[in-house]
Amino acid sequence: MPLLDLKRQNASLKNDLDAAWSRALQSGHFILGPEIETFEKECAQFLGVRHAISVSSGTDAILLALMSIGIGPGDEVICPSFTFFATAGCVARTGATPVFCDICPVCFGMDPTDVEKRISPATRAIIPVHLFGQTCEMDKLSALSRKHDLHIIEDAAQAFGASYRGTQAGTIGDFGAYSFFPSKNLGGFGDAGLLVTNNDVHAERARVLRVHGMKPKYFHPMIGANFRMDALQAALLRAKLPHLPAYCANRKKNADFYLSELLEIPGAALNADACLACNCGFSNDCPDARMLLPFSLPDNDHIWNQFTLRIKGGKRDAFREFLQARGIATEIYYPLPLHQQECFADIVGQLSLPHSETAAAECVSLPIFPELTRDELAEVVAAIRAFFT
Ligand SMILES: *Cc1c(COP(=O)(O)O)cnc(C)c1O
């Protein structure tokens, strides 16, 4: 069983995708143009945000956000260590310094208490990452940003369609960056991303920077780059967008099945331990747990881009091998926290972020894609039960 099977999803959309493809081909518009504009309007409407700017990837969405608010050399930007590389890589590419903070061990989000400790006079922004499809504790992070006058760029690459207290993830901070990398909930057909904002000035700068900082044509008040999404991509994504709520609902159904079945296994517990970090109110009463299951915070509509367990007692790799031998693919998101990556050694020095390090050592993600059958889910559960008995 694969971790993700895109062919199943795309097969059911074949007619719509074929129609979108030929419509875009026949239009002759391949750079920006009507498909892009319509896709951006549809995304803005879906997300309830003023401006949606399509871009070449989720990585470029983060980079463009940083460029739009003028982050550069001498600035510091705080980001979590336990995330995909792009979150911090983009900061370094602007010439600014990524400052790594720890995560909440329950929701995997940025820990507001730890963020506050790392704020310096050079700090300009924070990048909360809505990891695995669940929004960070944005109320606390927003309060922190107001108190210290910091920009918030939400890395919502894994959270298109998630919401927090009724507001879409990615639309709370100054900017939200989404990815349509094929493994995301709204998976595209190659690389693509989206940048959103409710701020008209930010939006205008981002649109100009997306085309080399050019306005009007061949005149460059700013230095930008080529961050455009292909019109063909937009046409295909438009065919998928209306199905996103159903995809997310199916992922949630799969997560609920895993949660109820896996909790029956001796030694399994919800990962609601030790959330002293972001004060989300849950305490650890299960120190003997062998497997911790992902926990969704109340008021937080989790879209389950990943279903990520923690396997305790140094058994994570054995767990993976056991499932692999039964034909079940798993993945480790992410095996090495960013503050321990070779490329950041010079800027980080000695730094200990215990929750990030533990997560990297214990985490494993199971297949959760929307088209999984009940039989397949049951097979995964049976294999996990066999591992623990
Ligand atoms: C996927 C991802 C990105 C980058 O998106 P791309 O479209 O692959 O460039 C950034 N941050 C996180 C957390 C991601 O999961």
Side-chain angles (χ1 to χ4, degrees):
M1 187 179 322
L3 194 70
L4 176 67
D5 184 352
L6 292 167
K7 281 178 282 186
R8 291 192 211 179
Q9 185 163 89
N10 293 338
S12 72
L13 296 177
K14 185 176 185 323
N15 292 343
D16 290 350
L17 292 172
D18 285 348
W21 180 255
S22 46
R23 182 182 71 232
L25 269 186
Q26 281 160 22
S27 78
H29 279 285
F30 300 113
I31 302 293
L32 300 178
E35 291 290 346
I36 288 286
E37 284 161 27
T38 312
F39 176 63
E40 290 179 345
K41 277 200 195 93
E42 288 167 352
C43 286
Q45 193 167 24
F46 182 95
L47 295 165
V49 71
R50 278 175 71 78
H51 304 280
I53 301 158
S54 61
V55 291
S56 30
S57 69
T59 303
D60 286 342
I62 301 170
L63 182 59
L64 186 54
L66 291 163
M67 289 169 69
S68 300
I69 50 180
I71 301 287
D75 296 333
E76 291 178 0
V77 177
I78 302 176
C79 46
S81 178
F82 188 64
T83 174
F84 179 60
F85 175 78
T87 314
C90 292
V91 174
R93 282 183 61 195
T94 65
T97 304
V99 172
F100 295 105
C101 71
D102 214 349
I103 54 163
C104 158
V106 171
C107 67
F108 300 105
M110 188 174 220
D111 166 7
T113 312
D114 197 54
V115 171
E116 190 156 27
K117 285 189 215 144
R118 298 177 196 284
I119 294 174
S120 84
T123 310
R124 298 262 333 268
I126 60 175
I127 310 185
V129 181
H130 306 320
L131 205 66
F132 306 141
Q134 171 160 242
T135 317
C136 299
E137 280 294 294
M138 288 305 293
D139 280 356
K140 294 190 181 80
L141 293 170
S142 299
L144 208 57
S145 83
R146 281 192 298 272
K147 183 171 159 198
H148 296 275
D149 192 22
L150 305 175
H151 293 287
I152 296 184
I153 297 165
E154 297 177 67
D155 180 343
Q158 300 182 8
F160 193 110
S163 64
Y164 175 82
R165 303 189 200 280
T167 305
Q168 287 286 316
T171 68
I172 302 163
D174 295 79
F175 279 109
Y178 306 89
S179 166
F180 304 124
F181 186 83
S183 67
K184 312 291 162 134
N185 282 31
L186 183 57
F189 305 80
D191 281 309
L194 188 79
L195 182 63
V196 304
T197 180
N198 281 309
N199 180 311
D200 297 348
V201 177
H202 289 342
E204 168 64 14
R205 282 181 62 87
R207 284 191 184 281
V208 174
L209 287 165
R210 179 176 65 171
V211 288
H212 308 281
M214 177 166 79
K215 192 183 182 185
K217 209 171 184 185
Y218 305 130
F219 289 81
H220 298 262
M222 295 177 262
I223 299 173
N226 178 356
F227 294 126
R228 295 181 298 252
M229 179 193 282
D230 289 326
L232 282 164
Q233 177 74 257
L236 293 170
L237 279 168
R238 286 185 59 206
K240 247 192 188 185
L241 179 60
H243 300 280
L244 181 65
Y247 297 155
C248 293
N250 277 342
R251 285 173 179 271
K252 183 167 192 319
K253 214 165 18 163
N254 295 346
D256 287 343
F257 180 84
Y258 276 148
L259 286 170
S260 67
E261 297 286 318
L262 294 176
L263 265 179
E264 302 288 312
I265 296 173
L270 273 181
N271 178 22
D273 67 331
C275 197
L276 307 170
C278 77
N279 297 312
C280 61
F282 299 91
S283 62
N284 180 8
D285 43 21
C286 198
D288 299 328
R290 296 193 289 167
M291 168 171 67
L292 295 178
L293 305 178
F295 183 72
S296 37
L297 302 172
D299 294 335
N300 211 333
D301 191 16
H302 196 323
I303 59 160
W304 300 102
N305 181 243
Q306 299 298 339
F307 187 92
T308 303
L309 306 173
R310 287 169 176 272
I311 305 298
K312 309 295 283 183
K315 297 216 165 65
R316 191 265 313 271
D317 295 339
F319 176 92
R320 269 198 97 189
E321 278 162 33
F322 189 89
L323 265 62
Q324 189 61 54
R326 279 155 188 76
I328 298 165
T330 58
E331 188 53 272
I332 297 177
Y333 302 113
Y334 297 92
L336 188 67
L338 299 186
H339 70 284
Q340 296 180 333
Q341 296 286 348
E342 188 182 343
C343 65
F344 294 133
D346 290 347
I347 61 162
V348 172
Q350 283 300 317
L351 174 65
S352 155
L353 298 172
H355 292 313
S356 299
E357 289 159 27
T358 307
E362 294 180 347
C363 278
V364 57
S365 299
L366 303 180
I368 182 89
F369 63 90
E371 296 77 18
L372 278 171
T373 65
R374 190 46 66 102
D375 284 351
E376 288 172 316
L377 292 166
E379 202 184 312
V380 177
V381 171
I384 295 175
R385 185 173 289 121
F387 177 77
F388 284 111
T389 46

